[in-house]
Every structure is written in C-alpha cells, then in structure tokens.
Amino acid sequence: MKHSITVARGDGIGPEIMEAVLHILNAAGAPLEIHEVEIGEKVYNRGIMSGMAPETWDLLRSSEAFLKAPITTPQGGGFKSLNVTVRTTLGLYANVRPCVSYSPFIKTKHPDMNVVIVRENEEDLYAGIEYRQSPEVCTSIKLISEPGCQKIVRYAFEYARANGRKKVSCFTKDNIMKFSDGLFTRVFLDIAKEYPDIEHEHWIVDIGAAKLADTPENFDVIVLPNLYGDILSDVAAQISGSVGLAGSANIGDHGAMFEAIHGSAPRRAGQNMANPSGLLFGSLLMLQHLGLGDLAENIHNSWLKTIEDGIHTYDIFVEGTSKEKVGTKEFAEAVGKNLGQKPAQFKCAAYTKKVKEFKKYVPKMIETKRELVGVDFYFCEKTSLNDFVDKMKNEGHGNLKLQMITNRGAKVYPGGQPETFCVDQWRCRFTTGGTCTQKEICELYSHLSHYDIIKTENLYRFDGLLSYSQAES
Ligand code: NAD
C-alpha cells in the first residue's frame, strides 16, 4: 500500500535539498504516492498573500503527510508567513525537533548531546496580532491559552514516555510575564504530576538557554512556548554541529507536516552546497509517523555510515576529520549507495515500529468566577508628563475613577519619577474599588471621546484574584 503525501519544493535551497531527499526516499523504495504543490515565493509573486493557492488546502487535507522544503517569507506588510498559516490552520500544535551530535565525525563541543525540543506551534507572539498604535509605539500580542498549554505540555510528556526519554524540562519567563508564561509553567507543573515516571524541572528561559548552550547533555526533552522554541532549536541544532542537521515534525490531531528546522538560506541557493540532512531527518520523522519505522531506520543507518565515511557537505566539513567535501546531490547519492549498510562506530538508529497513540487533550470548561473591576484606556498624545497628568488626573465618570497612569508600563502618576522617559502612548487605569458594568465603561468611553483613544482593555478579577499586571510603584 502506498502512502499519499504532499510535497513542496520551496524556495532558495529548497528545490535542491528536496531533490536530494526524494532521491534517497526513492532509492530506499519508500512506498509513497507523491502529489507536488507549488507554494512560497512564486505564489506570493502572483499576489496570493498567504503564499499558497486556496485549492492546495484540499490536497493537504486528503494526504497523510506534508513534506515541505523551506520557503522564503517576503518582507513587508500584507504577506502572511505560510509556515505559520499551515501550522495554525491545520492545528499542528506540536513542533518536535530532535538535535543530536555525531561526534567525532561531525565537529561539536558537545559530543554527548541528544536533546528533543518540543515547541508550541500555534500561539505566543506567532499569533500575528500586531498593531501600530501611535506614531511612536507598535505592539505585538503574546497570546497564551490554557488549552494550548495543555496540548503541548501533555504532548511533551507523552513523547518522552513513548520514546524512552527520562526528563522533561520547561523554559519560560514567568518571573516577568506572570500571566502568559506563568500559565504555561502552571500547566507544566500540573501535568507533570500525572507522569511520575518522568523527571521534570523548570528553568527561567534565559538561564535555561545558557545551560542548554553550555551543557546540552544535561537536557533530554525541553518543552517551551513558540518563540523561545524557535530560537533555541536553531541554537541546539547549530551547537550539535550545524543548523543543517535537524529535522522537524509538526504534529496535530488531523494532520502532520515535516520539514527541516532551517530556512531557505537564499545566499546558498542554486550552488549545490546545502546540507540536505535536516530535510532528510524531517522525512524520516514522517516515515515513522506513517508507521514505516523500519525504512526510517535503514535510511538513518546509511546516513550514519556516510557521515562515518567522511563524506561531508561544506557546513560540517573539517580538514583532517572529513574525507571528501561534496555537494547536495553527491551527498544524497552517497547515502543512496550506502542503503542497507550499518555504521561501524555510531550506535545504529532505532525508530519506534508501531505508531504510538498519545493521550490527547480533552477540551473542558474552565469553571471560574469572573468579575469586571475596571478598564485601562490607551491614549495617543505627544506631550509632557506634567501636561498629560494635569489633563487626566481628575478624569473619570460615575464610579470609575482614575487610579493610575503608566507610560511604557512604568507608573508615572501618582508618585511618578521625573527621570522616566515617556513616549506618545499613555495608559490610564480607571477602577471603582469594587465591580463595575460594561455600561459604566461605555459611558466612560463616551465621556472621554474627545481624547485620542487608541484602545481599551477590560480589567477582571478571576475567583477573587486581580488578573492583570500591576504597574510598579
Ligand atoms: P536560514 O536558516 O535560511 O539560513 C541561515 C544560514 O544558515 C545560511 O546562510 C547558511 O549559512 C546556514 N544554513 C541553513 N540551512 C543550511 C543547510 N541546509 N546547509 C548548510 N547551511 C545551512 O535563515 P535565514 O537566512 O534567517 O532565513 C532565510 C529565509 O528562510 C527567510 O525568508 C525566512 O523567513 C525563511 N525561513 C523559512 C523557514 C521554513 O520554511 N520553515 C524557517 C526559517 C526561516
């Protein structure tokens, strides 16, 4: 039986590395029925802002997996990142990125590194909710949801258990982003209790990142929000030997996409130089996902043998250790020729043979008491602190009274400091001391409508707890 997959050759180095990977899959006799689609630059250039023609979705839905080469996201307004669109539209919430070192054949300072980054794939600053609010200020919303955290954290523990991993580490910045990253940490610590057989730990992301870069052998599986996961998986792949070595699986309940972790490297395009290993490893994760673990093992072993033979692309070539510097095509041919052979020094590859069913997130209502207690108004005004405070300090309407003014998050009234640098966006907090109604907020809006209001944000108490950031005094 053939497995139906969709393939996109992508941009930059994409077509070369995809050709190399398809050559190896074909040489290994992978039972795949391939449907090719065009995505990326050429499609963007036709004026399709998502980088993918609408009819491509049906093909993606009807095939078992999507093998995608990297694409170039055009700079500038209006264009949407195709990668983000595919991940969110198809609900591919888990991005799994194994980063392994292959010492002594591939040079690395970390010979014992074998880390799997499990990156949340749909939320965080990647939600793409951005605004220019005033001439001086832009904002991007960092959106983190409880279901999103539940799905990715559970996936990380299930992945660890299914793959014989011993520890899951979580990196967040919950000391600063107490609500968004704080939610991620809280869910991590809750779910960890259900997996007593797996060790767990939490690090603030800055020191966690430093430790990962310094002693990656101390980590096993790392689960983290989208942006940190993006950055740290590049770091992890690069310190294992090359960013060109790591593959990535984007997994959801209704689909899966496989790719390299790196981008389209336009500077290397068309030169037969790029390392196809990242995309190859993406395709091996795909074979495992399709229940073809034996085949993935066979290809992986021939790759290990090729690396042991010293046949290396430019990014991992080191005089003395490497024997032959080859191009993308020649590397793929060497892996193809080594099929059926095993490495002499590396441990042989081991892939799970049976597709494991993971315990999934079950949606549930979160029972909580929510009370409206006030509102933050954001104003645009290029003025001095004193002038703005003079104008606003007696504002309010009904029970809603001005409680404080902040600029870039720093409290400037009451009790501000003259040194605080202010921009043209001001936040004024109005509260009643108790609860209030939507109607009172609308009346306040109407009362303040002669000012340049940028936006408002309601303030809530959840189960009696104030659930919004307090400005420092
Ligand atoms: P990049 O990952 O494309 O390349 C950075 C550098 O890493 C390259 O110049 C090269 O020196 C090295 N490199 C990357 N892949 C390699 C390989 N296979 N073999 C050898 N060396 C390799 O990062 P970038 O330059 O920041 O991004 C280029 C474009 O790729 C951007 O348009 C970006 O949006 C896009 N991108 C796409 C994806 C994706 O499709 N999943 C992911 C990341 C970036």
Side-chain angles (χ1 to χ4, degrees):
M1 189 197 80
K2 285 198 168 184
H3 295 270
S4 160
I5 65 160
T6 306
V7 163
R9 290 178 186 256
D11 302 319
I13 57 171
E16 299 158 62
I17 58 173
M18 183 58 87
E19 187 59 36
V21 168
L22 294 178
H23 169 82
I24 297 166
L25 292 175
N26 193 27
L32 301 172
E33 185 185 304
I34 291 175
H35 305 273
E36 288 211 26
V37 290
E38 192 175 65
I39 57 168
E41 260 178 334
K42 288 196 191 108
V43 182
Y44 283 119
N45 291 342
R46 291 208 298 267
I48 299 175
M49 304 309 262
S50 64
M52 186 162 89
E55 55 275 18
T56 306
W57 288 111
D58 291 336
L59 199 50
L60 290 185
R61 275 195 201 94
S62 63
S63 61
E64 289 173 72
F66 182 22
L67 181 61
K68 186 186 79 58
I71 58 142
T72 303
T73 309
Q75 300 287 328
F79 294 109
K80 285 171 74 181
S81 160
L82 176 89
N83 297 315
V84 175
T85 305
V86 174
R87 290 168 187 160
T88 50
T89 307
L90 297 181
L92 311 180
Y93 60 88
N95 192 330
V96 183
R97 301 181 152 191
C99 299
V100 182
S101 58
Y102 300 95
S103 179
F105 296 95
I106 297 181
K107 196 175 163 218
T108 168
K109 292 182 182 135
H110 309 287
D112 301 319
M113 171 174 183
N114 186 340
V115 178
V116 179
I117 307 268
V118 178
R119 162 187 173 191
E120 197 289 317
N121 221 13
E122 300 177 286
E123 305 192 336
D124 194 1
L125 287 155
Y126 279 74
I129 309 171
E130 295 197 298
Y131 305 95
R132 181 169 178 183
Q133 294 188 323
S134 70
E136 292 180 347
V137 174
C138 294
T139 59
S140 305
I141 304 248
K142 179 176 165 104
L143 188 153
I144 304 265
S145 74
E146 175 133 3
C149 297
Q150 293 263 358
K151 286 199 296 187
I152 193 63
V153 171
R154 183 165 300 289
Y155 187 91
F157 279 100
E158 288 285 319
Y159 177 93
R161 197 177 259 177
N163 290 280
R165 299 266 171 176
K166 302 279 177 279
K167 182 167 80 172
V168 180
S169 311
C170 168
F171 293 0
T172 62
K173 190 81 181 168
D174 58 354
N175 54 331
I176 300 297
M177 283 157 279
K178 294 178 169 56
F179 287 91
S180 53
D181 279 21
L183 172 59
F184 198 98
T185 310
R186 178 167 61 73
V187 169
F188 172 76
L189 296 175
D190 273 358
I191 290 185
K193 291 182 201 139
E194 296 175 38
Y195 297 84
D197 49 320
I198 312 275
E199 197 189 327
H200 71 276
E201 62 180 11
H202 172 263
W203 292 100
I204 302 286
V205 65
D206 38 4
I207 187 62
K211 282 179 177 290
L212 174 66
D214 186 46
T215 46
E217 63 278 7
N218 290 344
F219 293 96
D220 196 350
V221 174
I222 306 177
V223 64
L224 60 190
N226 206 339
L227 183 65
Y228 310 143
D230 182 25
I231 296 168
L232 291 185
S233 54
D234 265 32
V235 171
Q238 185 67 24
I239 64 171
S240 79
S242 167
V243 73
L245 286 175
S248 150
N250 299 262
I251 307 287
D253 293 342
H254 310 290
M257 174 170 79
F258 300 86
E259 54 185 346
I261 73 155
H262 60 75
S264 57
R267 273 180 301 166
R268 305 282 178 206
Q271 298 162 48
N272 189 36
M273 280 181 83
N275 189 343
S277 303
L279 187 59
L280 181 67
F281 281 125
S283 78
L284 300 189
L285 293 168
M286 175 185 79
L287 293 181
Q288 176 169 265
H289 178 81
L290 296 173
L292 301 169
D294 283 327
L295 193 60
E297 229 167 70
N298 180 14
I299 297 173
H300 197 142
N301 283 332
S302 69
W303 182 89
L304 290 169
K305 169 84 173 62
T306 309
I307 295 298
E308 280 185 353
D309 289 347
I311 298 173
H312 295 169
T313 43
Y314 86 94
D315 56 317
I316 54 171
F317 184 88
V318 175
E319 213 66 64
T321 315
S322 308
K323 301 242 163 50
E324 197 185 337
K325 192 191 279 184
V326 292
T328 314
K329 186 165 178 278
E330 294 72 28
F331 182 81
E333 283 167 1
V335 175
K337 281 200 191 103
N338 280 336
L339 283 164
Q341 297 201 52
K342 296 210 160 112
Q345 292 190 45
F346 284 131
K347 221 171 116 197
C348 282
Y351 281 72
T352 46
K353 302 293 167 349
K354 225 167 142 255
V355 180
K356 297 219 164 109
E357 270 303 311
F358 283 10
K359 197 159 130 193
K360 292 197 179 119
Y361 165 73
V362 183
K364 61 173 192 312
M365 276 295 285
I366 300 172
E367 303 275 340
T368 178
K369 185 173 174 221
R370 185 164 67 113
E371 296 164 293
L372 186 58
V373 296
V375 61
D376 279 351
F377 273 72
Y378 290 76
F379 298 98
C380 172
E381 195 157 325
K382 186 71 189 159
T383 186
S384 70
L385 170 57
N386 286 343
D387 283 355
F388 191 77
V389 167
D390 278 351
K391 200 177 330 181
M392 279 293 165
K393 67 182 177 203
N394 295 318
E395 280 296 4
H397 187 73
N399 291 327
L400 283 161
K401 305 270 187 295
L402 182 76
Q403 186 194 331
M404 66 166 189
I405 303 173
T406 70
N407 196 292
R408 297 193 302 170
K411 188 154 124 186
V412 292
Y413 175 83
Q417 303 298 334
E419 294 83 5
T420 305
F421 181 79
C422 293
V423 296
D424 63 358
Q425 185 230 52
W426 307 84
R427 177 175 60 148
C428 296
R429 175 161 295 171
F430 295 91
T431 51
T432 61
T435 58
C436 66
T437 62
Q438 297 278 4
K439 190 160 176 278
E440 285 176 287
I441 290 176
C442 291
E443 283 164 6
L444 176 62
Y445 201 110
S446 180
H447 173 77
L448 297 171
S449 58
H450 56 289
Y451 294 110
D452 190 348
I453 301 168
I454 298 168
K455 74 161 197 167
T456 64
E457 185 88 39
N458 286 355
L459 307 174
Y460 293 104
R461 220 163 33 200
F462 282 83
D463 296 329
L465 292 175
L466 296 183
S467 298
Y468 46 89
S469 54
Q470 313 294 306
E472 75 267 23
S473 42

